[in-house]
Amino acid sequence: MVNRAKIKELMNESACSHNKDKKKGEGCDKPKPGLAAGGCAFDGAQISLFPYADAIHLVHGPQTCLGASWETRETLTSYEGRDHTVMGFTTGITTNDVIFGGDKRLADSIDYIMQNYKPEAVFVYSTCVTALVGDDIDMTCKLASEKHGIPVVPVHAPGFVGGKNLGSRLAGEAVLENLIGTKEPEFTTPYDINLIGDYNVTGDMWQYLPIFEKIGIRVLSSLSGDGRVGDIRCAHRAKLNVIVCAKSLITLCRKMQENYGIPWVSVSFYGKRDTTFAIMEIVKALGDEALIKKAKEVIAQEEAKLEEALQEYKALFAGKKAVLNTGGNKAWSIASGLQDLGIEVVATSIRKSTEDDIAKAREYLGENGLLMKAPASEQAKAIDERGAHILLAGGRSLYTAIKKKISFIDVNQEKKVSYGGYGGLLNLAEDLKHAFNNPVFANVSKKAPWEAE
């Protein structure tokens, strides 16, 4: 069961750069009333682990908790076996279980899963109800693991402990305590890395993995995009941890450095500049001169190919301004991609961003850029005052774009096309071109001809 000491430890992460100058207890943002309205800790834990298609994700709680969280993010997988993420699994506890305890129902559910599906592992998520009832999920999972011979991993992230960011951190703790270091790889290389925090949404990872292969970098394991449970169990043999746009898993990387001596770097693969920077950070950290030389050659080829393809788009985007309302690390990573296309980002949302993300957003937008703390109420004003031509945001902001008669793109997890790596920047450029050329946004709020007369 998660306790206050664990939450306090995660919210005062010593590896976070913004915590170094703070007093004890003044670390990352503490849970506040209403924080879970944008996604609770349980939601965050599921987001972090759900891409493991060879595992079953069992929600120990009411059916509604499963319905609110099940697969919504286009986390693509190349797993050739049965993809268990397309099905939802829940113990579906009842009032009777609340009164007498739900441990037996949980044990029976795991038995049913093993009898009918035979996954590589089972992740068991506690929820608000089962955490408050006090079910001994740890013991039930331990006995089930011994009985069936596979990892049965308790994930203690009930929604009431905080928001999605904390849930992601708790998921990392579950993986570290129950999976990493429990298996040895068949072989290792000097260039083995772990990818941490890329969930392969719309295939983002697949944009840059071919470049890794050209250079000679091997991805030993992933947490958790297109990942395999067997691989993450071997993650302790990697030479480097690469955090991709997800500082919520920084605690996991810090502890792997302490326990296994694995250093880590934090990078982003959105935009040309950041993709190039990310590749060079990785090869420099691996410290092989031949690898660095090869990386420079591959980058030069990829950049030249990309620049040639982007010429027609840059001419179209000249003088365009954008407002970005997506939050988190995308406050700056998507902004970087837009700037690489020649678009000025005049405002970005920092509502769900960490202090590190906010600092990076300020760096990318400059002193004149607007960092919106309450984007729902600020974005319309920002569009007017800054003369923006396009709004990039989640689907709920579409109506703001329509009212302001400017172009719109949905860049949240509901998007269907990858914007990662060099190839993803071309996809973003194509989407922007179609949005700017779409006559709907300019005409949709005009009066009907009979009203204008």
Side-chain angles (χ1 to χ4, degrees):
M1 177 179 287
V2 65
N3 53 43
R4 287 188 177 185
K6 173 65 74 178
I7 294 173
K8 193 172 181 181
E9 177 198 356
L10 292 172
M11 300 311 292
N12 289 284
E13 173 51 53
S14 60
C16 287
S17 59
H18 59 271
N19 281 344
K20 291 177 181 174
D21 300 326
K22 290 187 175 180
K23 297 177 183 176
K24 191 175 180 180
E26 293 181 351
C28 305
D29 287 340
K30 296 180 178 61
K32 301 180 182 69
L35 182 68
C40 65
F42 161 66
D43 194 22
Q46 274 229 315
I47 289 169
S48 295
L49 301 177
F50 207 74
Y52 287 124
D54 57 350
I56 277 181
H57 303 264
L58 175 61
V59 178
H60 185 38
Q63 293 181 9
T64 47
C65 289
L66 172 68
S69 61
W70 171 76
E71 177 60 307
T72 59
R73 291 178 175 263
E74 290 276 338
T75 51
L76 305 181
T77 180
S78 61
Y79 181 55
E80 294 179 350
R82 184 170 185 172
D83 180 358
H84 297 298
T85 63
V86 297
M87 288 188 67
F89 295 84
T90 177
T91 54
I93 64 165
T94 64
T95 307
N96 196 55
D97 299 311
V98 172
I99 297 170
F100 297 105
D103 294 316
K104 184 176 185 309
R105 180 181 284 267
L106 174 58
D108 290 345
S109 299
I110 296 171
D111 288 345
Y112 176 84
I113 285 170
M114 293 309 301
Q115 185 178 354
N116 291 279
Y117 297 93
K118 296 181 173 51
E120 295 294 320
V122 178
F123 290 99
V124 176
Y125 300 83
S126 68
T127 57
C128 294
V129 176
T130 49
L132 287 170
V133 169
D135 285 351
D136 193 349
I137 298 174
D138 287 328
M139 181 54 69
T140 305
C141 289
K142 181 174 181 291
L143 294 175
S145 183
E146 292 171 355
K147 180 178 179 180
H148 298 292
I150 65 163
V152 181
V153 181
V155 184
H156 294 290
F160 61 77
V161 300
K164 283 196 290 190
N165 187 289
L166 178 58
S168 183
R169 293 170 190 239
L170 289 165
E173 292 294 293
V175 170
L176 182 64
E177 293 170 7
N178 296 280
L179 291 176
I180 293 174
T182 60
K183 185 180 174 184
E184 293 298 327
E186 291 182 3
F187 67 95
T188 60
T189 79
Y191 314 122
D192 286 350
I193 66 169
N194 298 319
L195 284 178
I196 308 292
D198 193 328
Y199 306 128
N200 201 32
V201 178
T202 65
D204 278 351
M205 282 173 56
W206 296 341
Q207 296 283 358
Y208 58 83
L209 289 188
I211 298 174
F212 282 7
E213 289 179 12
K214 286 182 185 176
I215 296 170
I217 300 167
R218 185 176 79 138
V219 177
L220 179 63
S221 75
S222 166
L223 200 174
S224 55
D226 198 14
R228 307 286 183 271
V229 170
D231 292 341
I232 196 65
R233 294 177 68 185
C234 305
H236 60 296
R237 295 302 180 196
K239 303 299 184 293
L240 180 69
N241 277 332
V242 178
I243 306 179
V244 184
C245 282
K247 284 295 181 67
S248 56
L249 291 168
I250 196 171
T251 304
L252 170 76
C253 292
R254 191 254 302 164
K255 288 185 176 180
M256 286 185 73
Q257 185 167 25
E258 293 171 355
N259 296 343
Y260 303 111
I262 304 174
W264 53 274
V265 295
S266 179
V267 299
S268 163
F269 287 95
Y270 283 118
K272 188 185 81 172
R273 286 172 300 164
D274 283 354
T275 299
T276 296
F277 179 79
I279 294 170
M280 290 307 300
E281 282 289 285
I282 292 168
V283 294
K284 285 177 183 174
L286 290 171
D288 185 292
E289 288 301 324
L291 194 73
I292 294 171
K293 183 182 177 186
K294 181 66 177 175
K296 288 179 178 176
E297 291 173 2
V298 173
I299 287 170
Q301 294 167 4
E302 295 292 331
E303 284 194 344
K305 195 164 58 178
L306 177 65
E307 278 302 317
E308 184 180 352
L310 288 179
Q311 289 305 314
E312 61 168 308
Y313 297 104
K314 286 189 175 180
L316 180 66
F317 302 154
K320 299 292 187 186
K321 298 179 182 178
V323 169
L324 186 57
N325 175 11
T326 180
N329 54 65
K330 286 187 286 189
W332 56 269
S333 58
I334 296 284
S336 171
L338 291 168
Q339 290 172 341
D340 286 344
L341 295 172
I343 295 174
E344 181 185 359
V345 182
V346 293
T348 188
S349 166
I350 55 169
R351 183 169 173 265
K352 295 180 182 177
S353 302
T354 64
E355 292 194 37
D356 281 353
D357 290 326
I358 294 170
K360 280 203 167 189
R362 173 57 69 203
E363 178 187 338
Y364 278 85
L365 267 65
E367 288 304 313
N368 294 326
L370 175 63
L371 305 185
M372 300 183 292
K373 294 180 180 177
S377 58
E378 291 182 68
Q379 63 182 356
K381 188 178 177 184
I383 290 168
D384 290 338
E385 291 183 350
R386 309 270 171 153
H389 303 91
I390 190 167
L391 173 63
L392 298 97
R396 283 176 295 184
S397 295
L398 170 63
Y399 304 102
T400 301
I402 289 174
K403 287 178 182 176
K404 297 299 176 184
K405 300 181 183 179
I406 65 170
S407 304
F408 176 83
I409 292 181
D410 187 341
V411 291
N412 273 2
Q413 61 271 12
E414 292 83 6
K415 69 182 173 67
K416 303 299 180 188
V417 179
S418 167
Y419 295 155
Y422 299 121
L425 192 60
L426 272 174
N427 291 337
L428 177 59
E430 187 69 10
D431 282 356
L432 286 164
K433 182 184 80 172
H434 290 307
F436 284 129
N437 290 335
N438 191 334
V440 169
F441 299 108
N443 292 300
V444 70
S445 17
K446 280 185 178 176
K447 289 185 177 179
W450 58 88
E451 292 176 324
E453 291 177 354

